[in-house]
Amino acid sequence: MDFTPSEEQTAAQGLAARIFGDLSTHERLTAAGTGTDAELWKELCAAGLPAAVEDVGLLGLVLILEEQGRTTAQVPLAATCVYGLLAVAAHGTPEQRGRLLPGLRDGTAVATGAFPARGGVRIAEDGALYGSVPWVPWLRDATHVLVADAERGLWIVRTGEPDVTAVPVETTAPWSAGRLVLDGVRGERLGNGQAGAYADVLATARTAFAGLQAGVCAGSLARAVHHTVTREQFGRPLSTNQGVLLRAADAHMDTEAIRVTAYEAAWRHDERRARAAQALTAAWWASEAGKRVVHAGQHLHGGTGADLDHPVHRHFLWGRQLDAYLGCGGEVLEELGLLLAHSSQEGAS
């Protein structure tokens, strides 16, 4: 395994770090409230970052999303890249790729996904889609939704259709989410209905959002380190207390575990190697370790961490949202156990 970024991946990460660092400030995030920073999204698209994902691969996307997570920038980058660009590029027909990818690359189209499949959407005999999904991230911004039906078929649905309703909902993190209601809309099947497309998109999503969680945790920890180094108690910095040092060290190790497992899963995807177990491993670390890190970040701020307007609280909200998105730790661990057991049985036979 070699996780060393290529020159193109390093350049994309550096560009993302500069744009997010310059524009995703506490003041702008406060002004955005629970909505999307439209100007930041335009800047990212003008810089060509969404379009670059096809060239830098999933590992490159993970590196970019780390930078987004550090600043909790409120843009639909992960959703558009995972459920739009990468899904269509990997599983779409030539006609779909030619029609859909240009808008996804330049940001005039925004995609999201009604994932994972939990039986809320069914397909009728006439091919129409019925059902609802309680919440879909960035749905209020989306022009297209990749919907997984109860049988794990994938359908592209345009949000502007009359039989599609997006009801705004507020989630823990300010992701412009909505409740998706489908009442007989005729979706467009992604590709030719290839077997394994759902599992591939879900594994890609889990890997990408694990990268986002690594950035959220790194940002939370960086704020905690700055606070404990500069805040004094009884005449010395808080960081000199052994309990503080140990808590921060544990948070650092957890963050690195999220990062390295996300890198491995992304690298295996780009190298076209089996990655089902690695994607689940990354998702488990993002859930279990992610919770610990953002709680530690808030606790290390002491009373300041209880301030809902403090920047570290935003990391806490994002971390808690990500720890359950696409499956909480227990669910993911069960999937991983079943996968390993099945693989062991196949090997024995």
Side-chain angles (χ1 to χ4, degrees):
M1 293 181 291
D2 182 6
F3 304 152
T4 304
S6 66
E7 184 177 340
E8 292 78 9
Q9 290 169 337
T10 301
Q13 184 183 24
L15 179 59
R18 180 179 61 80
I19 295 174
F20 286 129
D22 290 346
L23 298 182
S24 186
T25 62
H26 177 57
E27 293 73 23
R28 286 177 64 96
L29 289 168
T30 301
T34 60
T36 295
D37 188 333
E39 291 303 315
L40 174 55
W41 178 242
K42 289 180 182 178
E43 185 70 21
L44 291 169
C45 295
L49 277 175
V53 169
E54 292 175 271
D55 296 323
V56 299
L58 185 54
L59 180 56
L61 176 59
V62 165
L63 293 170
I64 293 170
L65 292 178
E66 272 195 80
E67 302 306 325
Q68 179 186 359
R70 290 180 199 276
T71 60
T72 60
Q74 291 174 201
V75 287
L77 181 60
T80 293
C81 291
V82 168
Y83 301 119
L85 277 163
L86 294 180
V88 173
H91 303 288
T93 63
E95 189 278 331
Q96 287 175 331
R97 292 196 293 271
R99 172 166 47 88
L100 297 172
L101 288 178
L104 293 166
R105 290 175 184 137
D106 64 21
T108 55
V110 174
T112 188
F115 271 67
R118 299 190 186 277
V121 176
R122 61 181 179 84
I123 181 169
E125 293 182 0
D126 62 356
L129 296 170
Y130 293 87
S132 64
V133 180
W135 77 276
V136 177
W138 310 109
L139 182 61
R140 284 178 264 168
D141 299 326
T143 57
H144 299 77
V145 185
L146 186 62
V147 177
D149 65 31
E151 303 301 321
R152 299 189 172 184
L154 298 182
W155 304 86
I156 302 169
V157 173
R158 295 184 63 89
T159 56
E161 296 293 328
D163 296 320
V164 178
T165 304
V167 182
V169 298
E170 299 301 335
T171 56
T172 301
W175 287 1
S176 296
R179 179 171 179 262
L180 179 67
V181 181
L182 306 176
D183 189 20
V185 67
R186 294 192 176 273
E188 174 186 358
R189 184 180 287 276
L190 177 65
N192 299 312
Q194 308 97 312
Y198 169 81
D200 180 70
V201 174
L202 180 57
T204 298
R206 282 172 164 161
T207 303
F209 281 94
L212 186 62
Q213 180 75 303
V216 169
C217 291
S220 174
L221 182 58
R223 292 188 181 279
V225 169
H226 179 266
H227 176 80
T228 55
V229 167
T230 57
R231 181 72 175 239
E232 291 190 357
Q233 188 177 57
F234 305 118
R236 61 178 186 171
L238 289 171
S239 60
T240 60
N241 293 306
Q242 187 178 42
V244 172
L245 290 170
L246 292 174
R247 192 79 187 276
D250 286 342
H252 171 74
M253 295 304 297
D254 273 338
T255 301
E256 289 302 302
I258 300 169
R259 177 181 288 117
V260 73
T261 52
Y263 284 6
E264 181 183 4
W267 175 80
R268 294 183 72 90
H269 169 275
D270 294 341
E271 293 293 318
R272 301 185 182 279
R273 301 190 182 198
R275 57 171 178 133
Q278 287 76 16
L280 287 167
T281 301
W284 183 83
W285 276 103
S287 177
E288 293 296 309
K291 278 186 292 191
R292 292 195 294 266
V293 174
V294 296
H295 274 272
Q298 196 170 36
H299 290 167
L300 288 173
H301 278 76
T304 306
D307 182 358
L308 302 186
D309 296 323
H310 193 279
V312 77
H313 187 69
R314 191 176 292 110
H315 288 270
F316 175 78
L317 295 178
W318 276 64
R320 290 313 309 258
Q321 188 73 57
L322 284 164
D323 90 61
Y325 182 49
L326 300 177
C328 65
E331 293 175 306
V332 171
L333 189 61
E334 181 182 19
E335 283 188 54
L336 180 58
L338 291 172
L339 175 66
L340 295 177
H342 181 70
S343 300
S344 176
Q345 290 174 356
E346 285 189 339
S349 62

